[in-house]
Amino acid sequence: MPHVTNRRDFLSRWSVMPLIAAGGFGLTSQVASAQSTVQRVGGSKLKLSLNAYSFSKALNDHIKGRGPGMTLFDMLDFCAEQDFDAVDPTGYFFPGYPAVPTDKFINDFKRRAFQLGLDISGTGIRNDFCTPDKAARAKDVQHIKEWIEVSAKLGAPVIRVFATNQRSGKPEGYSWDEVASWMADDIRECADHGEKYGVIVGVQHHTYFLKTTDQMIKLLQLVDSPWCGLIVDTGCFLSADPYAEIETVLPYAVNFQIKEKLYGQESDTRVDLVKLFQIIQDSGYRGYIPIETLYLKNEVYDPEVRTKSFLKEVRLALAKTKESPPVASNDTRKSDHSEKL
């Protein structure tokens, strides 16, 4: 009986054959397998979205009864007034989180977004896969699975998850590779569930465990699923050249968080939006680019004012960038359907 090669094995071998033929035996973590990168055609197309975390205090004030604050429906109205293409409603701000919202709330929210001409570009939840406590990780896997199903009901194509949301990062007594191995298993289980519901799992890297582009790419390759990719958080690249780092990981991007500053909340280095968007355009990325403003220490923060101001900067920068030319179809995409031949 002839040996049957499954799709994953075929693609993995196919993707490295040219390198082996060229003597490329010393493969690095930046060499992508065919199923790890996103194959794009048609040139770049960017759609503006707002990440709900920009209004975190106002949304939390309403949910926690600390005053009128702002509802998610108020945020939808704001996004329509500012002519966003989409909205990214973080799960934290749904009633009852971490429990899943009712179908009625989901459907009412989805209907209102549709009436306002807004797509739902994604959503996100809290989790921590860095802990050696297997039971705790299993609880978070279940949490993500439940919110994958919420995402599908919302029509959100991507759900954001963390490697960890703890600043302490890697637990003591374990190597990075050990932690990455169990983390990849957990994320892969979530991605398999995402496949059932048509929702991609996007890993937001932060800087707590995934500190370098090599580490980001290595984790995605360990997960080894076309239903998992990277949320490119532009405020969380730590090298002297964050733009080069961003360019390196763009083939893995499934969504973004575009922030005002390069090194997170404590930095005074504002992002060069023209340079950033030119890199994104040149990569051929097609999809949403949610923007996110953050409260900074020792400043008066008005989310509406800041969001309007940043959105204006973003639009001006986009107007100055040159769209990439359409990308021709390539043979790589054909291999994705090889099992059907």
Side-chain angles (χ1 to χ4, degrees):
M1 181 176 179
H3 176 69
V4 178
T5 302
N6 65 39
R7 177 177 177 270
R8 176 173 291 178
D9 289 343
F10 171 79
L11 289 173
S12 297
R13 286 199 293 270
W14 179 88
S15 65
V16 300
M17 281 177 63
L19 292 161
I20 295 173
F25 296 101
L27 303 181
T28 70
S29 63
Q30 293 189 11
V31 177
S33 59
Q35 69 274 13
S36 295
T37 58
V38 180
Q39 301 300 320
R40 298 183 172 102
V41 298
S44 181
K45 182 176 182 179
L46 307 182
K47 296 176 282 186
L48 291 175
S49 179
L50 176 67
N51 190 295
Y53 201 80
S54 301
F55 288 84
S56 59
K57 184 180 184 305
L59 290 164
N60 275 323
D61 283 349
H62 173 75
I63 290 172
K64 298 178 180 180
R66 299 187 303 219
M70 172 187 250
T71 70
L72 284 172
F73 291 89
D74 293 333
M75 190 190 66
L76 287 177
D77 289 347
F78 174 83
C79 288
E81 290 166 356
Q82 303 309 311
D83 200 25
F84 278 96
D85 298 303
V87 62
D88 185 324
T90 313
Y92 319 157
F93 309 122
F94 282 79
Y97 183 87
V100 300
T102 64
D103 284 351
K104 182 180 186 328
F105 187 92
I106 292 171
N107 291 338
D108 286 347
F109 184 84
K110 186 176 179 179
R111 176 176 59 86
R112 184 57 178 159
F114 173 77
Q115 289 174 337
L116 295 173
L118 294 166
D119 296 339
I120 299 174
S121 62
T123 188
I125 50 83
R126 293 189 185 97
N127 70 284
D128 182 10
F129 285 153
C130 222
T131 174
D133 185 342
K134 190 172 182 179
R137 298 200 314 271
K139 185 176 179 180
D140 277 359
V141 167
Q142 181 59 32
H143 178 52
I144 293 170
K145 287 180 177 180
E146 291 170 352
W147 276 85
I148 282 172
E149 295 174 27
V150 171
S151 301
K153 292 176 181 178
L154 281 169
V158 178
I159 183 168
R160 288 188 314 282
V161 305
F162 295 120
T164 180
N165 58 7
Q166 303 297 322
R167 291 183 180 273
S168 55
K170 183 176 68 65
E172 292 186 10
Y174 296 88
S175 70
W176 190 93
D177 286 338
E178 287 177 300
V179 178
S181 178
W182 78 52
M183 188 178 288
D185 289 342
D186 294 333
I187 295 173
R188 188 183 311 109
E189 183 176 344
C190 296
D192 288 346
H193 196 71
E195 181 177 7
K196 295 176 185 177
Y197 288 88
V199 176
I200 295 169
V201 174
V203 179
Q204 184 179 348
H205 48 93
H206 271 325
T207 58
Y208 306 150
F209 179 74
L210 300 173
K211 299 179 183 296
T212 69
T213 56
D214 276 349
Q215 290 177 346
M216 297 171 202
I217 294 171
K218 184 172 183 178
L219 178 64
L220 292 176
Q221 290 182 331
L222 287 171
V223 175
D224 192 22
S225 170
W227 289 91
C228 179
L230 189 71
I231 305 293
V232 180
D233 184 338
T234 61
C236 290
F237 290 90
L238 300 178
S239 79
D241 189 353
Y243 300 100
E245 288 190 302
I246 291 168
E247 186 174 12
T248 297
V249 298
L250 281 177
Y252 304 85
V254 293
N255 216 327
F256 277 82
Q257 285 189 336
I258 304 292
K259 294 179 178 173
E260 298 166 277
K261 301 194 177 185
L262 286 174
Y263 301 104
Q265 295 179 330
E266 306 303 326
S267 172
D268 290 327
T269 307
R270 288 193 68 83
V271 63
D272 182 337
L273 287 169
V274 173
K275 184 174 183 178
L276 173 65
F277 288 134
Q278 192 62 66
I279 291 169
I280 295 173
Q281 295 270 22
D282 290 345
S283 77
Y285 175 81
R286 298 177 65 86
Y288 299 104
I289 45 172
I291 67 171
E292 179 181 289
T293 61
L294 297 171
Y295 166 80
L296 302 177
K297 291 181 180 179
N298 303 317
E299 76 166 15
V300 176
Y301 177 69
D302 184 324
E304 289 197 18
V305 172
R306 277 278 288 283
T307 299
K308 290 177 183 178
S309 175
F310 190 41
L311 178 60
K312 182 178 180 180
E313 291 180 48
V314 166
R315 285 180 167 145
L316 287 172
L318 283 171
K320 293 179 181 178
T321 59
K322 182 181 179 182
E323 292 187 3
S324 62
V327 180
S329 300
N330 55 56
D331 291 337
T332 304
R333 293 193 306 133
K334 295 177 184 178
S335 68
D336 287 340
H337 304 283
S338 59
E339 72 273 24
K340 298 179 183 180
L341 299 179

